[in-house]
Amino acid sequence: MFFEGTLAWSDILFLLKGAVVTIAITLAAVGIGTLFGTLFGVIRAGAAWWISSPLGWVLDIFRSVPLLIQLVIFNSFNSMFRLNWPTYVVACICLGVYAAALCTEIVRSGVAAVPTTTRRAARSLGLTWRQEVVSITLPIATRIVFPSWIGLALGIMKDTSLVLWIGIIELLRSSQIVTTRIQEPLTILAITGVIYFLMSFPIARLGARLEKRWQIQ
């Protein structure tokens, strides 16, 4: 037993299982968001207005509507259209779309920050638009937007706590279940906070180290 015989190691393990679910959803959502956010960000930065503006309007919807509402709507559509997707898949897709909407503007601002003279010089050397974007623009933009991307990843990790509303037992929901059993909310919330910190701290430190290394280079 642990903590005056009220909190068992099995409870700690239950919280850690919830943390694993949190990490899994975070990785999936950030992966989806980064992939589509990069694509949409490049389009928003360089496409014609009749493509960029409608895309921006659609993404504004996902940035503006609270994530909890999006999760509930996504989950309801899953039932209404009889898709029969597991709630884990629904959560990953919903958070991924939300992350993509945020990441799009991060990438767009990074691409826009690349000097026009640099891009023109690349094109004058004979590079195609695709070669210029992949070899010149995106590497420079990555260094610019990396701190914001780290903040996005950490934010998505914390936002995973909202998936409890569609029935997923992640870290926060695990803490609620344990709290209901042993009636020690402060202790459980403190442990939960420490677990969130242990998951987030390495990402933040890695981001700071990479940013410092790129500045030196």
Side-chain angles (χ1 to χ4, degrees):
M1 304 296 287
F2 201 62
F3 286 106
E4 300 180 348
T6 57
L7 183 65
W9 283 112
S10 59
D11 296 321
I12 300 296
L13 293 176
F14 186 66
L15 291 175
L16 293 177
K17 288 180 180 179
V20 171
V21 174
T22 292
I23 293 174
I25 295 176
T26 300
L27 291 175
V30 171
I32 294 171
T34 301
L35 176 62
F36 287 97
T38 301
L39 175 62
F40 295 154
V42 172
I43 293 174
R44 289 270 291 142
W49 69 269
W50 51 272
I51 297 177
S52 178
S53 295
L55 178 60
W57 297 335
V58 172
L59 295 175
D60 280 342
I61 295 175
F62 292 100
R63 283 199 303 271
S64 304
V65 177
L67 181 56
L68 178 57
I69 296 176
Q70 295 183 44
L71 281 166
V72 174
I73 292 176
F74 266 69
N75 195 47
S76 299
F77 284 167
N78 185 40
S79 300
M80 289 169 57
F81 295 106
R82 300 182 180 179
L83 300 175
N84 296 322
W85 290 348
T87 52
Y88 173 81
V89 174
V90 173
C92 290
I93 292 176
C94 185
L95 281 166
V97 171
Y98 178 71
L102 298 177
C103 188
T104 295
E105 289 306 302
I106 293 176
V107 174
R108 184 197 61 78
S109 63
V111 171
V114 178
T116 304
T117 53
T118 301
R119 304 190 65 178
R120 287 178 178 173
R123 298 299 293 275
S124 68
L125 293 174
L127 273 66
T128 64
W129 178 84
R130 175 181 171 278
Q131 291 173 331
E132 176 257 312
V133 169
V134 173
S135 302
I136 305 298
T137 302
L138 284 182
I140 297 175
T142 298
R143 299 189 178 199
I144 297 172
V145 306
F146 189 72
S148 299
W149 182 86
I150 290 293
L152 170 65
L154 295 175
I156 292 298
M157 178 178 288
K158 290 180 288 187
D159 288 338
T160 57
S161 61
L162 295 175
V163 303
L164 66 87
W165 291 97
I166 61 175
I168 296 178
I169 302 178
E170 42 66 66
L171 179 54
L172 185 60
R173 180 55 179 159
S174 299
S175 69
Q176 291 179 342
I177 293 173
V178 175
T179 299
T180 300
R181 190 182 70 80
I182 67 174
Q183 295 299 312
E184 291 189 10
L186 292 180
T187 299
I188 300 303
L189 287 177
I191 295 173
T192 303
V194 169
I195 295 175
Y196 271 114
F197 172 77
L198 293 176
M199 293 190 298
S200 303
F201 184 74
I203 300 175
R205 297 313 304 163
L206 176 61
R209 178 172 297 183
L210 289 175
E211 183 182 0
K212 184 177 180 181
R213 179 179 299 178
W214 286 341
Q215 288 176 347
I216 294 176
Q217 292 176 350

